Amino acid sequence: MLQTTWIALVLGFWSSLYLLDVFLKSKKSVARPYLSFLDKTGLTISACQVRWYTCIFNRVFLRVGQWKPHFLRIWFTLGIIFSLLAMVASIFLLSLLVVNTLRQAPVEHQVLTPVMPGVNLPTNQISYYMLTLLVCGILHEVGHAVAAVREQVRINGFGLFLLLLYPGAFVDLSTEHLQAVSPLRQLRIYCAGVWHNLVIAVLAALVLLALPGMLVPFYSLGASVVVTDVVPNSAVSGARGLKIGETVTRINDCHIKSISDWSACLSTSMQEKWTGHCLPLDLIKELDASPFTNKSHSQWEVIDCCNSTSPTHLCFMYHTKKSAETKYACLPARPATDRPMCRLQSDCYVPKIDAACVYPAVDNETKLLRVFHGQRPPLLFLGHPLDLYYSVSLSNYVPKISIIPLNLPYVIETFCKYIISLSGALVILNVIPCYALDGQYIFHAFVELALRPAVPDPEIRSLIFSLVILFGTLLLLINVVLAMWTLLF
């Protein structure tokens, strides 16, 4: 249902925008001012696409491209070496994926899986995805532009576009100037985009690794975790539940210093059969609010001995030294759970005092957990530990003062992870020798540079180029089809 809704919204938006554009261009009273507006702003609207084109950045590209020309020459030459190696690696990787699929050898992750909102991209991650894709696209094209200035190729303009839900950028280079320079200089220009994608992916990885140290002046690490979000109407929401900004330090007697500790404590609680609390028998009789007169039962069964006495009471079961029968008592949950914890009757041994280890009278999947949070009394959670896990979002970064944003570390981490993923995918995609991708132009310049001395006939070189480009295009299409098939079926 969610997929259908997204498709309907996207198609509805683009259909409405396209029809509005056609209407304004055809209506005589507004056609001239509308076309003038499009011309001045550089906007172009077509089917499922909006483009913006400008020349205002040409001076910036010119200044950057003329900065330290010797360094830039070495920098973009390194881009050539990386791009050619990446082309070989990408062809091998995509070929291996096809072979494994045909041999029915399962592949855990497809490299070129299309990203579809509501299918394999959570709706709350769409903004991260679109912003990252736009940033990666802009820096990719900036690489082409700076390299073009360095190689004395004129830049006509720069632009942004939105195709369906996928933003991107493009740079308009002078075709005459580009064809006039040598194949080596062409390679520096064509490989600059892929090279910059690698660089920004590496920078994002370094930021991700250095993030804990960078945030030390503002956040505390290794002492507790902080609540960043609580699912509305969940078991831990409400006035007595967990609050955003509160720290969580323990679940029962399991200390929590990081999110991994939180997961480990919940996993341990699911594996434990019983966890009780030591109460003297006299105190059990004093606190017992059970409406039943007969509090002994011959079978180990789950009953409701409280009979809805009070929302603050819970049915507990226990054994005594004198009798092997299971007894039940309706006790106030908080005073009962404030007592020392126990797992066996022997854990409650106190000289000259008859005490029992009382357990919640619940099924094996339901657990009673005490969550220590903030400065308030522990939260009593009765249910499956996974419900608690999915009801709250936590962070390892605890702000040192209240004005520091809770979600800033999460935003930085998520943005860096998307940059690493998408920029790496753009490297693999763009270096493939395929029609309409950078790989087509990179391979053509490489053929002219490397094969011209050995193969002087331009027709033979053109044939070699066409065969490799056809192979790369088919290889990419097969991988996309396989990825789509895996995603949808």
Side-chain angles (χ1 to χ4, degrees), residues 7 85 104 188 234 308 312 357 369 421 439 451 453:
I7 293 173
L85 293 176
Q104 297 184 346
R188 291 196 187 103
S234 64
S308 303
T312 61
C357 187
L369 304 177
S421 176
L451 296 185

Side-chain angles (χ1 to χ4, degrees), residues 231-251:
V231 176
N233 301 319
S234 64
V236 295
S237 62
R240 297 185 178 182
L242 297 175
K243 303 292 184 184
I244 295 177
E246 281 188 325
T247 56
V248 177
T249 55
R250 273 199 297 155
I251 296 179

Side-chain angles (χ1 to χ4, degrees), residues 362-385:
V362 293
D363 58 76
N364 289 335
E365 300 295 327
T366 303
K367 307 294 180 181
L368 178 61
L369 304 177
R370 301 175 76 215
V371 182
F372 291 81
H373 59 112
Q375 302 298 322
R376 296 189 294 161
L379 168 70
L380 299 182
F381 173 82
L382 183 65
H384 197 289

Side-chain angles (χ1 to χ4, degrees), residues 22-36:
V22 172
F23 171 76
L24 293 176
K25 288 179 179 177
S26 60
K27 193 171 180 59
K28 294 182 179 180
S29 58
V30 296
R32 181 173 295 178
Y34 177 66
L35 291 174
S36 176

Side-chain angles (χ1 to χ4, degrees), residues 55-75:
C55 300
I56 61 175
F57 300 111
N58 289 5
R59 288 181 177 271
V60 177
F61 295 142
L62 185 62
R63 290 178 182 176
V64 176
Q66 293 175 345
W67 174 77
K68 294 189 177 181
H70 180 66
F71 168 79
L72 290 180
R73 180 176 178 274
I74 298 174
W75 176 257

Side-chain angles (χ1 to χ4, degrees), residues 262-479:
W262 166 264
S263 302
C265 290
L266 291 178
S267 178
T268 301
S269 69
M270 288 190 290
Q271 297 172 6
E272 291 179 340
K273 187 174 182 180
W274 302 107
T275 301
H277 298 269
C278 295
L279 270 75
L281 294 180
D282 293 340
L283 182 60
I284 294 175
K285 294 179 181 179
E286 179 184 343
L287 297 177
D288 188 7
S290 173
F292 300 122
T293 55
N294 181 14
K295 300 169 187 174
S296 297
H297 298 265
S298 59
Q299 296 181 350
W300 192 270
E301 57 180 337
V302 178
I303 66 168
D304 183 14
C305 64
C306 286
N307 196 22
S308 303
T309 301
S310 168
T312 61
H313 284 61
L314 183 64
C315 186
F316 290 84
M317 55 186 179
Y318 63 98
H319 296 85
T320 63
K321 297 179 182 179
K322 299 179 179 179
S323 174
E325 291 182 324
T326 302
K327 294 188 176 182
Y328 293 84
C330 181
L331 305 176
R334 190 167 297 280
T337 55
D338 284 339
R339 310 292 296 188
M341 295 187 64
C342 57
R343 288 174 176 82
L344 300 172
Q345 180 65 30
S346 58
D347 295 338
C348 297
Y349 174 75
V350 179
K352 300 181 180 180
I353 297 178
D354 289 332
C357 187
V358 297
Y359 310 92
V362 293
D363 58 76
N364 289 335
E365 300 295 327
T366 303
K367 307 294 180 181
L368 178 61
L369 304 177
R370 301 175 76 215
V371 182
F372 291 81
H373 59 112
Q375 302 298 322
R376 296 189 294 161
L379 168 70
L380 299 182
F381 173 82
L382 183 65
H384 197 289
L386 284 179
D387 293 336
L388 175 58
Y389 180 83
Y390 289 115
S391 296
V392 61
S393 297
L394 303 170
S395 173
N396 290 325
Y397 298 89
V398 181
K400 291 185 177 180
I401 54 177
S402 59
I403 62 173
I404 297 177
L406 274 175
N407 289 318
L408 180 60
Y410 171 79
V411 170
I412 297 175
E413 284 182 348
T414 305
F415 188 59
C416 287
K417 289 176 181 178
Y418 268 101
I419 285 182
I420 296 170
S421 176
L422 291 179
S423 201
L426 287 175
V427 170
I428 296 175
L429 179 67
N430 270 303
V431 294
I432 295 293
C434 171
Y435 288 108
L437 295 180
D438 285 349
Q440 173 188 354
Y441 307 103
I442 292 173
F443 187 73
H444 182 268
F446 175 74
V447 167
E448 293 299 312
L449 176 67
L451 296 185
R452 181 179 291 179
V455 185
D457 190 345
E459 293 186 0
I460 297 178
R461 295 199 305 271
S462 178
L463 177 61
I464 295 173
F465 168 75
S466 299
L467 290 176
V468 174
I469 292 297
L470 180 61
F471 169 76
T473 303
L474 292 175
L475 181 62
L476 182 61
L477 288 176
I478 292 172
N479 273 274

